Amino acid sequence: MTDIDTPRCGYVAIVGRPNVGKSTLLNHVLGQKLAITSRKPQTTRHNMLGIKTEGNVQAIYVDTPGLHKKNEKALNRYMNRSASAALKDVDVVVFVVDRNRWTDEDQLVLERVQYVQGPVLIAVNKTDRLDEKGDLIPHLAWLQEQLPNAELVPISALQGHNLDTLERLVAQRLPEADHFFPEDQITDRSSRFLAAELVREKIMRQLGAELPYQITVEIEEFKQEGHVLHIHALILVERDGQKKIIIGDGGERIKRIGQDARKDMETMFESKVMLNLWVKVKGGWSDDERALRSLGYDDI
């Protein structure tokens, strides 16, 4: 990106179905952990900006929830609205797809991306896992037929392969403009939001198949006292059984969740952290529009 000699700045939506690698891509582009990741679909629930400033180029990436067909709960509808809204006012779209798998939800995203007026890049992810690179050619040809004006970029978000090419193509397509954010700012989200997301990530990773989707995390206290950052986080679930799963036998599971979250928080906030976790039952929150707004699901 060093060959660009005039200031460029703009918004770049990262879109795709759930669990295709969008948040991993954002983290590797930024060079640090910002968006939470897990193997579970629908890990990302909110649009979040990841801002990368390098020389004359400021690319403002919008990490979006995966577009998905399940719409029966207010939370699912909120995530789909967030992802769709991101396509409306951006300068470049990066459509992340799998190297050899196409689902109904990929098709759903494709149908939205086909109406985008601006430049589209198709990031074909996980290509490092292909035994034969030739196996990719028919899939690339088919993708090009679907979006004739898009440019295809084979990448590995996890390994960082070919991300420099993707970033260069993004930079070339951004409009000439002064930068919107200070050079050292990497997100629009508050530290409280990032702390809540880290706790939620550890829950999703710890619980695996047992995971109750109806969990969210509220930060009730976030206070620096001397060299120690005190964080009190409330984990909300919908049923008593979910509360028991998160706490675990003798409190072992919630202890591990807290230990893992605290380590990441100390790295992110560059401070010693004292983290306290509680679990509370709040029935029906994930299908209650008013409850969702009170919990911060109101950013579109």
Side-chain angles (χ1 to χ4, degrees), residues 238-290:
E238 294 203 327
R239 296 191 297 278
D240 283 324
Q242 296 168 345
K243 179 177 179 178
K244 287 174 184 165
I245 289 170
I246 289 175
I247 291 172
D249 292 339
E252 273 303 305
R253 180 168 274 148
I254 197 166
K255 185 179 174 185
R256 285 203 308 273
I257 289 166
Q259 287 170 341
D260 291 350
R262 181 177 54 76
K263 283 178 192 168
D264 276 7
M265 288 176 184
E266 290 186 336
T267 301
M268 181 173 279
F269 303 129
E270 299 179 337
S271 172
K272 183 172 172 56
V273 170
M274 288 286 289
L275 174 63
N276 290 294
L277 300 178
W278 287 270
V279 188
K280 179 181 172 183
V281 178
K282 185 182 176 79
W285 73 264
S286 67
D287 201 24
D288 181 334
E289 299 275 3
R290 193 159 64 176

Side-chain angles (χ1 to χ4, degrees), residues 42-58:
Q42 298 162 37
T43 300
T44 300
R45 288 181 178 171
H46 302 263
N47 289 348
M48 178 168 65
L49 300 188
I51 305 157
K52 182 163 184 180
T53 307
E54 197 171 295
N56 280 319
V57 177
Q58 184 171 86

Side-chain angles (χ1 to χ4, degrees), residues 91-102:
D91 302 290
V92 182
V93 170
V94 176
F95 178 17
V96 184
V97 302
D98 197 281
R99 67 201 182 283
N100 59 4
R101 185 166 164 249
W102 189 262

Side-chain angles (χ1 to χ4, degrees), residues 16-266:
R17 65 166 164 80
N19 218 31
V20 76
K22 300 181 297 298
S23 297
T24 301
L25 172 60
L26 176 65
N27 288 339
H28 278 265
V29 165
L30 295 177
Q32 68 183 88
K33 182 185 178 71
L34 183 65
I36 68 170
T37 60
S38 84
R39 292 178 183 273
K40 299 293 285 187
Q42 298 162 37
T43 300
T44 300
R45 288 181 178 171
H46 302 263
N47 289 348
M48 178 168 65
L49 300 188
I51 305 157
K52 182 163 184 180
T53 307
E54 197 171 295
N56 280 319
V57 177
Q58 184 171 86
I60 305 159
Y61 291 91
V62 188
D63 185 30
T64 64
L67 275 163
H68 55 286
K69 293 204 161 201
K70 198 166 72 171
N71 254 339
E72 71 269 18
K73 290 204 176 230
L75 178 60
N76 299 104
R77 294 192 293 274
Y78 163 84
M79 289 192 286
N80 275 344
R81 285 199 308 271
S82 294
S84 297
L87 287 170
K88 291 176 184 169
D89 300 309
V90 295
D91 302 290
V92 182
V93 170
V94 176
F95 178 17
V96 184
V97 302
D98 197 281
R99 67 201 182 283
N100 59 4
R101 185 166 164 249
W102 189 262
T103 69
D104 289 347
E105 289 175 328
D106 289 301
Q107 190 65 32
L108 179 67
V109 185
L110 173 65
E111 287 162 12
R112 308 281 173 93
V113 171
Q114 283 173 330
Y115 292 102
V116 169
Q117 298 296 311
V120 175
L121 301 169
I122 305 176
V124 186
N125 196 18
K126 306 176 186 175
T127 52
D128 57 312
R129 297 186 192 172
L130 280 174
D131 294 328
E132 293 291 334
K133 297 301 182 207
D135 295 345
L136 193 59
I137 293 170
H139 189 43
L140 295 180
W142 182 82
L143 286 167
Q144 195 73 76
E145 283 176 21
Q146 309 311 304
L147 290 167
N149 296 322
E151 183 142 4
L152 282 81
V153 191
I155 65 163
S156 166
L158 189 61
Q159 301 299 329
H161 293 169
N162 216 27
L163 298 192
D164 52 345
T165 300
L166 179 66
E167 287 188 74
R168 187 176 69 251
L169 293 170
V170 165
Q172 290 166 356
R173 287 156 178 75
L174 292 176
E176 292 188 10
D178 291 330
H179 296 175
F180 301 156
F181 293 95
E183 190 174 332
D184 58 351
Q185 185 171 344
I186 63 155
T187 187
D188 62 329
R189 291 293 189 172
S190 69
S191 296
R192 294 175 80 105
F193 173 87
L194 297 173
E197 288 286 270
L198 284 175
V199 174
R200 195 165 62 82
E201 175 188 67
K202 302 314 174 192
I203 295 168
M204 297 187 87
R205 290 187 169 194
Q206 284 277 345
L207 269 59
E210 296 176 84
L211 174 75
Y213 273 114
Q214 299 85 11
I215 58 158
T216 194
V217 180
E218 263 190 295
I219 301 298
E220 296 193 312
E221 182 177 295
F222 190 98
K223 188 166 63 179
Q224 187 83 41
E225 291 181 351
H227 298 298
V228 181
L229 180 59
H230 293 265
I231 300 174
H232 294 188
L234 178 65
I235 301 164
L236 287 177
V237 296
E238 294 203 327
R239 296 191 297 278
D240 283 324
Q242 296 168 345
K243 179 177 179 178
K244 287 174 184 165
I245 289 170
I246 289 175
I247 291 172
D249 292 339
E252 273 303 305
R253 180 168 274 148
I254 197 166
K255 185 179 174 185
R256 285 203 308 273
I257 289 166
Q259 287 170 341
D260 291 350
R262 181 177 54 76
K263 283 178 192 168
D264 276 7
M265 288 176 184
E266 290 186 336

